[in-house]
Amino acid sequence: MLAAGGLASTAHASVSQGGVYGVDAVTDDWGDEGPLSTTSNSHNSVVGLWQAVLAADGYLPSADVDCSFGSQTKAATIKWQDDHHLGADGIVGPLTFGKADNYLYWVGSEIRYDGSKFDLYSMHRTSSGRWYANGGGSTAYFSYTSSDLCG
């Protein structure tokens, strides 16, 4: 579903809201997300979003974006965290997501992730701040309760 190729308010989102939400600047939207790990929130569209970030940065093959946080995703996460000078524990929480959202930027109404290998695009926010992706004629929300992003 994800494609390759002033003052800001703090984002107000969490697992308890059921999905990724944000307000104002996108570079603070992910700093309260997670945790994602092999044992917590391990199969959902937010995992797919994180895996897409790993793929865009060259840590995980794009073919492995499957919305399931398994051993390959954990290993790739540890490498990403280490390379970004974070505690490399393989758990994607606010610090890891918060570091990743520093690479988000707007192009019109579209949000993109500036990956080191390729950019992610086709990401958006609704007027209420809920994140979603468009692709293949459908819309998928970044949800902690479904894995629609991965089909």
Side-chain angles (χ1 to χ4, degrees), residues 19-35:
V20 176
Y21 282 79
V23 296
D24 295 330
V26 293
T27 54
D28 71 355
D29 277 7
W30 294 352
D32 56 356
E33 297 301 333

Side-chain angles (χ1 to χ4, degrees), residues 80-138:
W80 193 96
Q81 290 170 324
D82 190 49
D83 288 348
H84 289 84
H85 311 290
L86 298 169
D89 59 4
I91 298 169
V92 183
L95 292 177
T96 300
F97 262 127
K99 184 67 123 177
D101 75 9
N102 293 334
Y103 299 95
L104 296 172
Y105 64 99
W106 288 101
V107 175
S109 64
E110 180 181 73
I111 303 167
R112 295 185 179 180
Y113 177 83
D114 183 17
S116 60
K117 300 296 181 190
F118 58 85
D119 286 0
L120 300 177
Y121 55 96
S122 296
M123 296 183 288
H124 304 273
R125 282 192 317 212
T126 66
S127 60
S128 65
R130 188 173 182 191
W131 277 65
Y132 66 97
N134 283 333
S138 64

Side-chain angles (χ1 to χ4, degrees), residues 72-83:
Q72 286 182 301
T73 301
K74 181 178 180 177
T77 298
I78 289 169
K79 288 178 188 174
W80 193 96
Q81 290 170 324
D82 190 49
D83 288 348

